């Protein structure tokens, strides 16, 4: 099985410093998941998605759904960087004054759909992709799901449905870090052989090192991967990537009450990555 | 009623290209078959996957479509409850979910198919509109109003072939109650097909010298509290009648309105006529379950008489009240 071996480049380090800055403000959240999806979102927002942050409802925009809504701190960084939301919102996460919660809400500019409960994003993405077909629109629908999320039956119901309709305008990205809240995906509910599963459900499947921005860029340039069939990109990632104490550590799935010492430790661990 | 409802969906789709029909795995007949052949691009039969279908409908509605999704009421409301709450209600989307076999319609098929708490489930959801018409005529008046109504709607279907009892009503306004018969002594409050039993019970009571009105509430949410309180003032007893468990449906809505709406004044005596708070083990027919639950005309007449003569104890045990009254 492909393993992520990519070294983090300066931009990826910088993004994680922004993540720690956000954490230093709100002191809680699904940190490991945010680090896991960082490069996937980076390549989507830097290169792949068509959007207009001054007009988030632009009809021709590509649709992106973060179905694993608990990875939203990474998403918030890009929404701020690309101008959907003010930068200072990143310092008001989970406060009475802020617009950003511990899961992304659809009233946030740039967020298509509220997520947080797992297994919702892919069915909604199927509806969006069908709608684009009905209206003969050319935009693409991307949905990022977690590996733990693939425990949900609705993911596979929606996969059947996407295949039935030959939705080549739909790409599902799987954040395959092989960890979930309790333990490894192998121990909790094994997904293997995951590539074969998506292929058997009718998807054109590729695999990639999910922390290798160059590789992500190259493979996403080839979307759609097949003809008249939906695409699936299995992104091999590391939960908590970039933070030694967090990597593959389920205790960092969600954290409360982060102390100053924790924040300092995270900054220092990033220095060793640089 | 289902036939009338789906024929209306077909008509709405013919004149409005935003309308989409989705089924799970339902019979190809009548309007369903016509829709499939006339507008195949807007017709979806997506298999026994209710959770996915709600999400898919949400995706279509996010993009401006108006989706009508029909399947059996229990599978719709129980199986995909979270999808309805999050995908539809939280996002205030124009998806109309049409539950076939509301109440005890599928009595011979057993409790997996009896939607006896669907109204409570749907009524509890923020932003959900809940409709339970009494007959096919009312369904025909109601459906055009669903097209541009903001937010999701749950429509409860009855058996089909039910007697037409709403001839006197013109038009349909979502959120409005309809007084089919005025009364001085008592008031039946109904939703869905219990209107038939209540009208008959009212006629029988009239022969006994009792003037009992009938207020029909085809919209359970938003609830026409003002309409109810206006008719409730001055009567001695109110019996709500619903093909539903005692909790969370029409009876609860009426009780809440009476408790909060009388401003410290003594409210009329009140009884919830309902299905018992248990799953059924009788498999004969809807009529049988309605009668044994006291929801036929004779049962409603009995309960109204008991309430008017103060024979019923203050706290009613819904597991045993049918036997007692």
């Amino acid at each position: 099985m492909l393993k992520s071996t990519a070294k983090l480049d300066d931009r990826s380090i910088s993004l994680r410093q922004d993540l720690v800055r956000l954490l230093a403000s709100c002191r809680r959240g699904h940190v490991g998941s945010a680090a896991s999806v960082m490069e996937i979102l980076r390549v989507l927002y830097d290169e792949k998605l068509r959007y207009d942050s001054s007009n988030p409802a632009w009809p021709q925009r590509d649709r992106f759904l973060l179905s694993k809504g608990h990875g939203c701190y990474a998403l918030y960084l890009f929404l701020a960087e690309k101008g959907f939301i003010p930068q200072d919102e990143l310092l008001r996460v989970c406060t009475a004054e802020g617009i950003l919660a511990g899961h992304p809400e659809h009233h946030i500019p740039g967020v298509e759909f509220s997520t947080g409960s797992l297994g919702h994003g892919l069915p909604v993405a199927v509806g969006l992709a069908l709608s684009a077909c009905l209206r003969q629109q050319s935009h693409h629908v991307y949905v990022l799901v977690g590996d733990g999320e693939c425990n949900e039956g609705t993911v596979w119901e929606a996969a059947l449905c996407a295949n039935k309709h030959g939705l080549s305008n739909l790409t599902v990205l799987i954040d395959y870090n092989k960890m979930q809240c309790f333990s490894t995906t192998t121990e909790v509910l094994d997904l293997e052989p995951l590539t074969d599963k998506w292929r058997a459900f009718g998807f054109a499947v590729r695999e990639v090192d999910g922390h290798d921005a160059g590789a992500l860029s190259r493979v996403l340039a080839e979307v759609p991967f097949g003809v008249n069939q939906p695409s699936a990109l299995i992104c091999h990632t590391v939960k908590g990537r970039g933070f030694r104490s967090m990597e593959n550590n389920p205790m960092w799935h969600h954290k409360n009450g982060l102390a100053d010492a924790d924040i300092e430790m995270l900054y220092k661990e990033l220095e060793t990555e640089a | 009623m289902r036939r009338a409802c789906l024929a209306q969906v077909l008509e709405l789709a013919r004149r409005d290209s935003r309308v989409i029909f989705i089924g799970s795995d339902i019979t190809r007949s009548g309007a369903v078959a016509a829709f499939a052949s006339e507008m195949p691009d807007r017709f979806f039969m997506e298999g026994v996957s209710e959770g996915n279908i709600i999400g898919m409908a949400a995706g279509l509605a996010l993009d401006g479509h108006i989706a009508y999704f029909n399947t059996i009421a229990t599978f719709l409301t129980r199986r995909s409850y979270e999808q309805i709450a999050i995908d539809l209600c939280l996002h205030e989307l124009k998806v109309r979910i049409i539950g076939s076999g509301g109440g005890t319609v599928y009595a011979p098929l057993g409790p997996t198919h009896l939607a006896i708490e669907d109204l409570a489930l749907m009524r509890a959801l923020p932003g959900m509109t809940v409709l339970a018409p009494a007959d096919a005529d009312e369904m025909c008046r109601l459906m055009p109003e669903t097209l541009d109504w903001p937010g999701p709607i749950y429509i409860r279907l009855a058996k089909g072939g039910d007697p037409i009892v709403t001839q006197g009503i013109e038009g349909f306004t979502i959120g409005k109650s309809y007084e089919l018969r005025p009364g001085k002594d008592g008031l039946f409050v109904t939703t869905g097909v219990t209107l038939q039993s209540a009208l008959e019970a009212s006629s029988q009571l009239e022969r006994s010298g009792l003037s009992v009105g009938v207020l029909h509430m085809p919209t359970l949410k938003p609830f026409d509290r003002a309409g109810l309180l206006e008719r409730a003032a001055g009567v001695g007893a109110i019996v709500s009648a619903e093909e539903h468990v005692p909790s969370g449906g029409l009876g609860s809505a009426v009780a809440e309105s009476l408790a909060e709406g009388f401003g410290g004044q003594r409210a009329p005596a009140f009884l919830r006529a309902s299905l018992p708070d248990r799953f059924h083990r009788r498999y004969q027919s809807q009529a049988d379950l309605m009668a044994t639950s006291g929801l036929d005309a004779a049962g409603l007449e009995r309960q109204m008489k008991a309430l008017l003569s103060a024979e019923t104890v203050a706290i009613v045990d819904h597991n045993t009240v049918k036997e007692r009254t």
Side-chain angles (χ1 to χ4, degrees):
Chain A
M1 189 192 302
L2 186 63
K3 279 194 172 177
S4 176
T5 55
K7 182 172 166 57
L8 299 181
D9 63 12
D10 288 349
R11 175 150 166 74
S12 283
I13 299 285
S14 169
L15 285 164
R16 282 169 175 76
Q17 286 168 339
D18 293 342
L19 175 63
V20 180
R21 198 167 300 119
L22 182 154
L23 281 175
S25 169
C26 71
R27 304 282 171 151
R28 61 169 299 151
H30 293 87
V31 199
S33 299
S36 182
V37 301
M38 192 68 84
E39 280 64 43
I40 304 170
L41 295 189
R42 167 186 161 181
V43 175
L44 285 173
Y45 276 89
D46 280 0
E47 302 177 23
K48 193 63 192 169
L49 297 176
R50 289 180 298 175
Y51 56 82
D52 177 359
S53 58
S54 66
N55 179 18
W58 178 45
Q60 282 78 45
R61 72 192 183 281
D62 289 327
R63 272 47 165 191
F64 171 66
L65 280 72
L66 181 65
S67 190
K68 54 170 299 178
H70 55 289
C72 63
Y73 286 1
L75 176 66
Y76 295 162
L77 298 182
F78 294 103
L79 293 180
E81 184 185 90
K82 305 302 182 188
F84 285 97
I85 58 174
Q87 281 284 349
D88 56 6
E89 284 295 340
L90 299 178
L91 304 179
R92 290 201 289 262
V93 175
C94 297
T95 67
E97 298 76 27
I99 62 168
L100 305 177
H103 293 95
E105 292 291 318
H106 64 290
H107 56 71
I108 301 167
V111 174
E112 300 284 351
F113 202 75
S114 296
T115 52
S117 177
L118 298 174
H120 289 244
L122 188 52
V124 174
V126 166
L128 286 167
L130 279 169
S131 184
C133 294
L134 283 171
R135 296 184 187 283
Q136 298 180 318
Q137 294 168 327
S138 62
H139 61 262
H140 201 87
V141 181
Y142 297 88
V143 56
L144 175 53
V145 304
D147 45 15
E149 180 174 13
C150 291
N151 298 168
E152 289 282 4
T154 46
V155 170
W156 303 103
E157 291 177 7
L160 288 170
C161 191
N163 175 50
K164 169 189 169 181
H165 294 286
L167 295 175
S168 55
N169 60 348
L170 172 69
T171 296
V172 56
L173 305 119
I174 300 102
D175 175 28
Y176 196 18
N177 57 37
K178 293 104 187 160
M179 296 291 299
Q180 45 196 115
C181 182
F182 178 77
S183 179
T184 62
T185 53
T186 309
E187 184 180 350
V188 176
L189 193 59
D190 197 3
L191 295 168
E192 285 298 322
L194 188 58
T195 306
D196 291 347
K197 280 193 178 68
W198 285 100
R199 197 165 282 138
F201 274 75
F203 283 63
V205 188
R206 300 285 177 86
E207 296 183 72
V208 69
D209 180 337
H211 296 296
D212 184 338
L216 278 161
S217 175
R218 285 190 295 278
V219 74
L220 283 171
E222 294 175 20
V223 164
F225 301 145
V227 178
N228 295 327
Q229 63 180 142
S231 302
L233 180 59
I234 297 178
C235 305
H236 293 273
T237 54
V238 176
K239 195 161 191 167
R241 180 71 182 96
F243 305 97
R244 197 175 52 223
S245 59
M246 203 189 297
E247 287 187 2
N248 294 317
N249 179 356
M251 298 312 290
W252 278 88
H253 174 78
H254 182 267
K255 277 282 186 186
N256 269 326
L258 288 168
D260 289 348
D262 297 319
I263 301 297
E264 282 306 308
M265 177 190 72
L266 294 177
Y267 275 127
K268 279 186 182 156
E269 289 183 358
L270 275 180
E271 286 171 15
T272 64
E273 284 284 336
Chain B
M1 185 187 285
R2 177 172 178 267
R3 205 161 46 227
C5 178
L6 299 184
Q8 284 289 315
V9 176
L10 176 63
E11 281 306 312
L12 293 172
R14 280 173 175 155
R15 57 176 217 247
D16 193 321
S17 64
R18 296 173 299 167
V19 173
I20 300 278
F21 179 79
I22 313 175
S24 55
D25 187 21
I26 60 177
T27 308
R28 183 196 291 267
S29 64
V32 172
F35 201 128
S37 61
E38 275 184 46
M39 294 166 279
D41 56 329
R42 287 189 279 142
F43 178 89
F44 297 92
M45 193 60 63
E46 296 306 308
V48 188
S49 58
E50 295 82 3
N52 171 60
I53 290 173
I54 293 289
M56 175 185 143
L60 286 157
L62 273 175
D63 214 19
H65 293 288
I66 302 169
Y68 289 79
F69 171 28
N70 173 223
T71 194
I72 290 175
T74 50
F75 311 149
L76 187 54
T77 57
R78 291 175 183 161
R79 175 67 62 89
S80 49
Y81 194 63
E82 193 196 48
Q83 278 77 17
I84 294 170
I86 301 300
D87 299 354
L88 306 188
C89 294
L90 177 61
H91 293 86
E92 301 174 24
L93 293 176
K94 288 184 180 174
V95 176
R96 287 70 177 100
I97 53 177
I98 304 166
S100 295
T104 61
V105 169
Y106 295 134
L109 304 183
T112 60
H113 282 58
L114 300 194
I116 56 175
E117 78 297 315
D118 57 329
L119 299 176
L121 292 173
M122 293 298 107
R123 183 173 166 258
L125 292 171
M128 179 60 86
T129 292
V130 183
L131 304 177
D135 58 32
D137 280 14
E138 186 165 53
M139 180 64 81
C140 291
R141 293 190 296 271
L142 167 165
M143 287 301 286
E145 302 302 313
T146 65
L147 190 65
D148 286 313
W149 180 259
I153 305 174
Y154 174 63
I155 303 166
R156 184 197 233 208
L157 297 182
K159 185 170 63 180
D162 300 288
I164 303 300
V165 289
T166 64
Q167 299 93 334
I169 301 175
E170 285 185 13
F172 189 93
T173 303
I174 294 175
K176 184 178 184 302
S177 61
Y178 294 93
E179 183 180 60
L180 272 85
R181 193 170 293 174
K184 292 176 186 163
D185 300 318
L187 179 69
F188 285 119
V189 184
T190 68
T191 195
V193 296
T194 54
L195 174 59
Q196 301 161 24
S197 306
L199 286 169
E200 204 179 323
S202 169
S203 297
Q204 288 163 358
L205 287 160
E206 194 174 18
R207 285 191 277 277
S208 310
L210 290 168
S211 165
V212 177
V214 178
L215 182 66
H216 177 46
M217 306 197 77
T219 307
L220 203 54
K221 186 178 181 178
F223 194 67
D224 184 7
R225 178 173 289 198
L228 171 70
L229 293 176
E230 187 185 327
R231 273 81 176 196
V235 300
I238 296 176
V239 172
S240 64
E242 60 189 319
E243 193 182 5
H244 191 268
V245 294
S247 301
L250 174 71
S252 293
V254 172
E256 291 155 15
S257 296
L258 295 177
E260 294 173 348
F262 267 71
Q265 303 294 309
R266 186 180 162 84
F270 174 58
L271 176 70
R272 290 171 294 162
S274 70
L275 299 172
D277 183 23
R278 63 170 178 258
F279 292 104
H280 295 273
R281 288 191 184 176
R282 291 171 69 100
Y283 313 112
Q284 185 180 334
S285 66
Q286 180 185 24
D288 169 63
L289 288 181
M290 294 287 271
T292 54
S293 302
L295 288 169
D296 60 349
L300 292 183
E301 179 191 2
R302 229 171 26 241
Q303 290 173 85
M304 178 59 83
K305 270 185 176 168
L307 195 61
L308 280 169
S309 58
E311 286 173 9
T312 304
V313 292
I315 298 171
V316 179
D317 175 355
H318 278 88
N319 286 318
T320 57
V321 65
K322 312 310 172 199
E323 289 77 18
R324 251 187 315 146
T325 57

